[in-house]
Amino acid sequence: AQSVAQPEDQVNVAEGNPLTVKCTYSVSGNPYLFWYVQYPNRGLQFLLKYITGDNLVKGSYGFEAEFNKSQTSFHLKKPSALVSDSALYFCAAHKTGFQKLVFGTGTRLLVSP
Amino acid sequence: EAGVVQSPRYKIIEKKQPVAFWCNPISGHNTLYWYLQNLGQGPELLIRYENEEAVDDSQLPKDRFSAERLKGVDSTLKIQPAELGDSAVYLCASSLNSRGGEKLFFGSGTQLSVL
């Protein structure tokens, strides 16, 4: 069965510092990986995805994520955090040819001024 | 372009009462999803539609939950009767199709409280 793990319930970072939100997955075959962000009282918004190709993918709002097959990880990163990045971040995955997204439990990012 | 529209935004009902949620997906999106999001958890798929056909409803508790997508556009999710444990956020999402890697567009959700 597919699963996604986000080991940190919350990540705290100061504005201007780099941030990393961790994600590991368990998907048979080649995974399709996603990051979504959820702001308060809003639906989830797509940030970026990995399907194939370059292991470093770039997405919205300056975010990027690195696919590491050997570590089955897909960590979300940003070089310089903004207070407005504070939100709930979800990692998600599905296996090739099977569009059934499995989400992690989410990581709350808190960026302090 | 309008996003995925859901209503109502909030719903408070007593247990054993029926409740219905409505979703209007993005125009032209063939695939529609209903997800359940419990507090502190990620969304879990309840049902997926390809046009008007339910192609994955394995996670839908069919004894009390039902859904329809008439004419392959709007969709309604119903619970009858509601139980205390149904309190959660119900999210609707749509995508162009269900080919691998398609990004989903989510509505703001309906927050259900069952008293």
Side-chain angles (χ1 to χ4, degrees), chain A residues 32 36 41 43 49 90 94 99 104, chain B residues 9 37 42 98 100-101 104 107:
Chain A
Y32 287 7
Y36 285 82
N41 299 314
K49 66 180 178 182
F90 289 96
H94 70 81
Q99 179 75 331
Chain B
R9 184 71 182 89
Q37 186 176 18
S98 60
L104 274 59

Side-chain angles (χ1 to χ4, degrees), chain B residues 31-81:
Chain B
T31 309
L32 183 145
Y33 314 76
W34 282 102
Y35 279 87
L36 167 69
Q37 186 176 18
N38 286 304
L39 188 64
Q41 301 294 318
E44 299 173 28
L45 181 68
L46 287 173
I47 189 168
R48 173 168 64 97
Y49 281 93
E50 295 294 341
N51 298 304
E52 61 272 11
E53 181 183 0
V55 296
D56 184 356
D57 62 355
S58 57
Q59 300 296 103
L60 190 71
K62 298 181 183 64
D63 57 336
R64 297 184 300 108
F65 286 66
S66 65
E68 61 182 8
R69 190 184 185 196
L70 299 177
K71 301 181 180 179
V73 182
D74 294 1
S75 178
T76 303
L77 178 68
K78 299 179 182 179
I79 308 175
Q80 183 171 10

